[in-house]
Amino acid sequence: MSEYEPTETLDVKGLSCPMPVVKTRGAVDDLSSGEILEVVSTDSGSMSDLKGWADTTDGVSMLDQEESDEGGEALFVHYIQKE
């Protein structure tokens, strides 16, 4: 598990591109500066999609991305901080 303590967790399991990015953008908008959003996805494409979005969006930083397994299902967890 990550050392980050998220302020909010966004569950986008079962959604595929572009919905994880769309939902993440909306959730980040609701955060205050310095808060961390944890995004949990089952879409392997979210690793590159969310990284690309964070890299090209002012005011957000991708802190970390992790891949894990939960009951045989691959999970992709992203930690995004609002600046």
Side-chain angles (χ1 to χ4, degrees):
M1 280 310 238
S2 172
E3 71 272 16
Y4 300 106
E5 292 187 24
T7 306
E8 299 284 338
T9 298
L10 177 65
D11 182 344
V12 293
K13 291 184 272 191
L15 301 178
S16 56
C17 184
M19 292 313 295
V21 173
V22 171
K23 298 237 181 225
T24 298
R25 180 178 19 211
V28 165
D29 287 345
D30 293 338
L31 294 178
S32 297
S33 180
E35 292 185 329
I36 297 172
L37 177 68
E38 175 185 56
V39 182
V40 182
S41 177
T42 51
D43 178 15
S44 63
S46 69
M47 294 297 274
S48 60
D49 294 345
L50 285 172
K51 175 87 171 97
W53 171 79
D55 287 349
T56 59
T57 302
D58 288 336
V60 298
S61 295
M62 177 65 72
L63 299 176
D64 197 11
Q65 294 181 297
E66 300 173 348
E67 183 175 345
S68 64
D69 187 280
E70 183 179 280
E73 179 176 48
L75 288 182
F76 306 93
V77 183
H78 316 272
Y79 295 93
I80 300 169
Q81 184 170 38
K82 185 169 185 176
E83 297 172 349

